Amino acid sequence: MGSAMSAAEHQPTEPSPLPNLASSSEALETDAANKYEAVCPHWFYCKVVDSRERWIPFSGQDSEKLENAHKSSKYCDELVVPTEGGRYDVHLKKRLRYAVYWEEDESEVRRCTWFYKGDKDNRYIPYPESFSEELEDTYMICVTLDEWKKKLESPTREIIILHNPKLMVHYHPVTTTDDWGASPTEQGRPRTVKRGVENISAEIPNGEPLQIDHLVFVVHGIGPACDIRFRSIVQCVNDFRNVSLSMLPAHFKNAQEQQQIGRVEFLPVNWHSTLHTGVDVDLERITLPSINRLRHFINDTILDVFFYNSSTYCQTIVDTVASEMNRIYLLFLERNPDFKGGVSIAGHSLGSLILFDLLTNQKCTSDGEEDKNEESQISATGQEGIGSVTDILTELELSEYCSVFEKENVDRQALALCTEKELKDMGIPLGPRMKILHYLRNKSNNQNSKGQTPAAAGEGGNVKQEVPVKPTNAETSCRRLDVVTGQVSANYPQLIYKPEIFFAFGSPIGMFLTVRGVKRIDPNYSLPTCKGFFNVFHPFDPVAYRIEPMIVPDVEFDPMLLPHHKGRKRMHLELKEGLTRMSMDLKNNLLGSLRTAWQSFTRTSLPAVEAGATGDTEQVLEAEASSEKQTDGKLEEPTTPVKEESAPVNVGMLNGGHRIDYVLQEKPIESFNEYLFALQGHLCYWESEDTTNQLHQIFAPC
């Protein structure tokens, strides 16, 4: 019995299959964990915001384009990639990003794979490309060999430790000094390290549609800052463009998916920096030292209005605006040779007045002349009356600069388009620059005086229309009124294209025309080369003025209410109208009840008195009834404008027979205090969804 038990105890048992299964599954997991996958890079650029560097990701479309170019750049050192809708170029070898259409500081570009969290905020900062490659090589070894807790030191002597795939930290170096000298330690607040852009929660835009349906030039108003955050015109137009792009999926989703609609390109036009290049030094000499910041603010902003009313500086402003729009237009066509869309212009505040004066002084061409190419339009100002560049320089005793113009391939046509800034960039000194510009202006003025006929001004400053002897259809459509009454004397340059629509945002055009002595605009007047004009303003904008009352002064009517981008009125406006309507109904019902009570009271008088005063009572009742009708008519007057608003109003041909004045809907919080939000009302257009949606509705194909 005991031997049997001992034999049973010593008998070998078969191993259970469960441990083998567990070990095999662990092996599979280990193999899967040790499988290394290369990181997917994404391209970023550095931008300074509020004196801080911020790394902003390119769109997925641009990053893919840059990565493909990077892979093929081994055979091309000077490869330049257009990004952000063609507004910026990236030089791959230099790793720099340049603005195409305006002046802007270059920014650094990186091909990013590894990131660490910054000190002052939760934004992730990419490591330099060389150190990211070192991190990636170390990570690959750790994953392949399953050996972690690797320590690396960055070029700035910062310590990075890879604990495991999900825990990697970055230690800021804390220098300690001992008898042997200073040495970095790992003490300090650790920062999170992430591998791959998908792990840092970065907002990466998809990219912009390649097709451009319309081009809009945007001209700013007074001062270098264009909104309440003191941002430049470039930043504000970027916001306006982003709002425009966000409207496409919401309102044109089907058309966008079927590629029936593209996007609208907005490009800024800056004139302030050119104006203040030389005049700021003169202003500095005469500015008092007290309240320094306020005086500099006035010099930078308010004085722009006075500059524009000076013939000297007005010429500089209109030359800069026109030459910039012409230059950007040609550059845009060069970079987008397949562009077949239209061109429009938009101005904010004083910028809208500058554009209005430019448009009123454009020369109207007939239908046959529209077929001429742009090159002939560009050279129109330079072919007649202006000799070759060599002849001009010889006449001005500036022959020593002939080689400079020959080097830049400047012929007489290009010289006619040159501005002071462009001549300065070529290295021409101030004196010769002034001689050349004065010569070109005199030649152009002589040509304009030969080709123009004086316009007749009406009595009291009223605007009258030129009456041709036998008007043809082309002449009738190109009537020119003397809206230039009171304009500053300047030689207004010509644009090389015909704008389709002119948008004025927060515009003082109506006020300036009135101050200049223009009391009325003839209903038959239209801008010579632009058939559309929309005056858009916020109801609390203190700078904005209407245009329609100058065309139809005898009729009172409200501006058109710009619809909400979601297709309805704002809730507080509907509530306000509803309460107004309800109060009017209550007032009318109450008066009706009082009238009925009074009539019933007067009819229950004594029979003797009633019989003796029948005639008098009837007269009294008739007088009361007539007075009540008049009272009712007066009380119902406030409701009539609502009916008249929908009635068609003839506002002339300035916008092709359509309405001109459009008012935005104020936000609920803005309705509490008009004065508190007055400044915001003048600067709200850059981020207004209602404004951009209206622009898309106008530009959208039928």
Side-chain angles (χ1 to χ4, degrees):
M1 187 84 180
S3 60
M5 291 180 62
S6 61
E9 289 175 359
H10 292 286
Q11 186 176 0
T13 58
E14 295 182 1
S16 175
L18 294 177
N20 292 336
L21 290 174
S23 61
S24 61
S25 62
E26 290 177 359
L28 290 174
E29 290 178 0
T30 304
D31 293 340
N34 293 345
K35 186 178 179 181
Y36 168 78
E37 293 183 1
V39 65
C40 182
H42 195 91
W43 291 74
F44 283 66
Y45 64 92
C46 183
K47 188 176 182 180
V48 178
V49 179
D50 298 332
S51 302
R52 292 184 181 180
E53 288 188 352
R54 284 182 53 185
W55 286 92
I56 302 174
F58 283 97
S59 67
Q61 177 182 335
D62 287 339
S63 181
E64 182 180 356
K65 190 190 303 182
L66 288 168
E67 184 63 20
N68 294 335
H70 169 72
K71 293 177 181 178
S72 61
S73 63
K74 299 176 182 179
Y75 310 101
C76 182
D77 293 337
E78 301 297 326
L79 190 59
V80 177
V81 180
T83 59
E84 299 178 61
R87 296 181 297 275
Y88 290 89
D89 282 343
V90 173
H91 196 294
L92 279 180
K93 184 179 180 181
K94 297 179 181 178
R95 289 293 196 269
L96 291 176
R97 169 178 169 267
Y98 302 93
V100 173
Y101 298 106
W102 55 83
E103 292 184 2
E104 185 178 317
D105 293 337
E106 60 191 28
S107 53
E108 183 184 353
V109 174
R110 282 185 189 175
R111 181 176 180 264
C112 305
T113 52
W114 285 78
F115 307 84
Y116 68 93
K117 188 173 288 188
D119 262 341
K120 299 179 180 179
D121 51 23
N122 292 326
R123 299 182 182 276
Y124 281 89
I125 303 172
Y127 285 105
E129 293 186 36
S130 57
F131 187 66
S132 293
E133 293 177 0
E134 186 177 345
L135 279 170
E136 185 66 18
D137 293 339
T138 306
Y139 178 84
M140 180 180 65
I141 294 173
C142 292
V143 171
T144 306
L145 302 179
D146 197 19
E147 296 178 359
W148 293 94
K149 295 188 177 180
K150 295 285 186 181
K151 184 185 296 186
L152 292 89
E153 184 175 339
S154 70
T156 55
R157 305 193 70 183
E158 296 175 344
I159 305 301
I160 295 91
I161 301 178
L162 308 182
H163 292 285
N164 58 58
K166 296 184 179 180
L167 180 60
M168 296 173 282
V169 291
H170 176 127
Y171 290 96
H172 191 73
V174 178
T175 305
T176 58
T177 306
D178 52 18
D179 296 337
W180 300 95
S183 61
T185 64
E186 297 176 13
Q187 275 70 31
R189 182 183 176 186
R191 309 181 202 173
T192 306
V193 177
K194 295 292 184 181
R195 175 179 179 266
V197 70
E198 64 276 2
N199 294 319
I200 65 172
S201 302
E203 295 183 4
I204 301 176
N206 295 326
E208 302 177 10
L210 299 178
Q211 178 185 341
I212 300 177
D213 294 335
H214 210 91
L215 173 63
V216 180
F217 294 111
V218 184
V219 180
H220 65 86
I222 62 172
C226 297
D227 68 350
I228 204 166
R229 288 178 281 177
F230 296 96
R231 296 184 303 168
S232 67
I233 179 63
V234 174
Q235 294 171 307
C236 291
V237 172
N238 285 344
D239 265 3
F240 198 75
R241 188 187 305 108
N242 292 335
V243 173
S244 171
L245 291 173
S246 67
M247 291 289 103
L248 290 178
H251 298 275
F252 303 95
K253 184 177 180 180
N254 294 333
Q256 193 176 18
E257 290 176 352
Q258 298 173 7
Q259 297 183 350
Q260 296 177 353
I261 189 173
R263 64 182 176 91
V264 180
E265 180 62 281
F266 299 91
L267 296 179
V269 177
N270 185 4
W271 55 266
H272 181 270
S273 56
T274 304
L275 172 67
H276 286 258
T277 300
V279 73
D280 282 350
V281 179
D282 300 330
L283 287 174
E284 189 68 28
R285 297 194 195 101
I286 61 176
T287 301
L288 299 181
S290 59
I291 52 173
N292 190 38
R293 292 186 178 180
L294 179 59
R295 293 185 189 277
H296 279 286
F297 175 76
I298 293 174
N299 290 349
D300 247 359
T301 55
I302 307 299
L303 287 189
D304 286 348
V305 179
F306 298 98
F307 283 137
Y308 187 66
N309 284 288
S310 163
S311 58
T312 302
Y313 294 106
C314 176
Q315 187 67 60
T316 302
I317 292 174
V318 295
D319 282 347
T320 303
V321 171
S323 63
E324 273 294 285
M325 289 197 295
N326 288 340
R327 179 189 67 83
I328 296 174
Y329 177 69
L330 292 176
L331 183 57
F332 178 83
L333 292 182
E334 180 183 339
R335 297 176 63 89
N336 300 273
D338 297 330
F339 175 71
K340 303 297 182 184
V343 183
S344 295
I345 55 179
H348 176 244
S349 189
L350 182 63
S352 63
L353 178 66
I354 297 170
L355 292 177
F356 183 80
D357 289 344
L358 270 175
L359 291 177
T360 55
N361 286 276
Q362 296 297 297
K363 297 177 182 178
C364 186
T365 58
S366 61
D367 295 338
E369 293 175 342
E370 291 181 2
D371 298 332
K372 295 182 179 180
N373 56 28
E374 285 139 9
E375 294 181 358
S376 63
Q377 292 177 346
I378 298 169
S379 61
T381 58
Q383 285 181 348
E384 296 181 4
I386 300 180
S388 64
V389 176
T390 305
D391 296 338
I392 295 173
L393 296 177
T394 303
E395 182 180 348
L396 298 176
E397 299 180 354
L398 300 174
S399 303
E400 63 270 23
Y401 299 104
C402 290
S403 59
V404 178
F405 288 93
E406 291 175 359
K407 181 180 178 181
E408 299 292 338
N409 294 326
V410 177
D411 56 9
R412 62 179 184 177
Q413 299 172 7
L415 182 63
L417 293 174
C418 282
T419 62
E420 182 181 359
K421 180 180 179 300
E422 291 162 347
L423 293 174
K424 183 179 179 181
D425 293 341
M426 293 167 60
I428 308 298
L430 178 61
R433 287 205 308 269
M434 294 297 101
K435 285 185 177 181
I436 296 172
L437 292 174
H438 182 70
Y439 175 86
L440 295 175
R441 285 174 187 169
N442 287 342
K443 287 293 183 181
S444 183
N445 284 333
N446 293 336
Q447 292 176 13
N448 292 337
S449 62
K450 291 177 183 179
Q452 292 180 354
T453 57
E459 297 178 0
N462 287 349
V463 183
K464 297 296 181 182
Q465 179 185 348
E466 289 184 359
V467 182
V469 179
K470 292 182 179 180
T472 61
N473 292 334
E475 291 172 337
T476 304
S477 63
C478 296
R479 296 171 184 174
R480 182 178 182 275
L481 289 181
D482 196 10
V483 290
V484 299
T485 299
Q487 278 185 3
V488 181
S489 177
N491 175 29
Y492 291 90
Q494 301 296 303
L495 300 177
I496 60 176
Y497 55 87
K498 290 186 176 181
E500 291 187 3
I501 302 174
F502 167 41
F503 296 95
F505 301 138
S507 172
I509 293 175
M511 181 268 291
F512 270 87
L513 290 179
T514 302
V515 170
R516 290 171 178 175
V518 180
K519 294 184 178 180
R520 185 172 183 268
I521 300 176
D522 193 292
N524 295 323
Y525 174 69
S526 62
L527 297 172
T529 59
C530 181
K531 302 309 176 187
F533 179 22
F534 290 86
N535 183 35
V536 182
F537 53 89
H538 190 279
F540 305 153
D541 189 341
V543 182
Y545 289 83
R546 293 190 61 185
I547 297 294
E548 291 173 342
M550 298 189 69
I551 304 173
V552 192
D554 301 329
V555 181
E556 292 186 4
F557 54 95
D558 293 332
M560 289 288 291
L561 186 66
L562 208 62
H564 192 268
H565 67 279
K566 293 185 178 179
R568 57 170 176 78
K569 285 186 179 180
R570 293 185 183 271
M571 188 64 68
H572 71 286
L573 293 179
E574 294 180 351
L575 182 62
K576 185 178 180 181
E577 289 183 0
L579 291 175
T580 303
R581 196 180 301 111
M582 184 175 66
S583 64
M584 292 301 303
D585 292 342
L586 287 174
K587 192 179 294 184
N588 292 335
N589 292 336
L590 179 61
L591 289 173
S593 301
L594 290 175
R595 181 177 57 187
T596 305
W598 176 254
Q599 289 176 353
S600 62
F601 174 75
T602 54
R603 287 172 184 169
T604 56
S605 56
L606 293 173
V609 178
E610 189 179 77
T614 303
D616 297 338
T617 305
E618 290 178 354
Q619 292 177 0
V620 171
L621 290 176
E622 289 177 0
E624 289 175 353
S626 61
S627 63
E628 286 169 357
K629 289 180 180 179
Q630 294 175 0
T631 305
D632 294 343
K634 291 179 181 178
L635 290 173
E636 291 175 359
E637 282 180 3
T639 60
T640 54
V642 178
K643 297 179 181 179
E644 290 181 1
E645 186 178 3
S646 59
V649 181
N650 182 11
V651 292
M653 299 304 297
L654 193 57
N655 191 25
H658 303 290
R659 293 293 300 272
I660 300 171
D661 294 336
Y662 286 82
V663 59
L664 293 168
Q665 302 180 36
E666 73 271 16
K667 297 179 181 178
I669 192 174
E670 294 173 346
S671 60
F672 287 106
N673 193 315
E674 298 179 359
Y675 296 94
L676 186 62
F677 293 95
L679 179 60
Q680 174 64 23
H682 183 60
L683 305 173
C684 70
Y685 306 98
W686 309 115
E687 299 177 354
S688 171
E689 296 96 340
D690 298 349
T691 305
T692 54
N693 182 52
Q694 184 67 16
L695 264 65
H696 276 293
Q697 297 291 344
I698 295 171
F699 295 144
C702 299

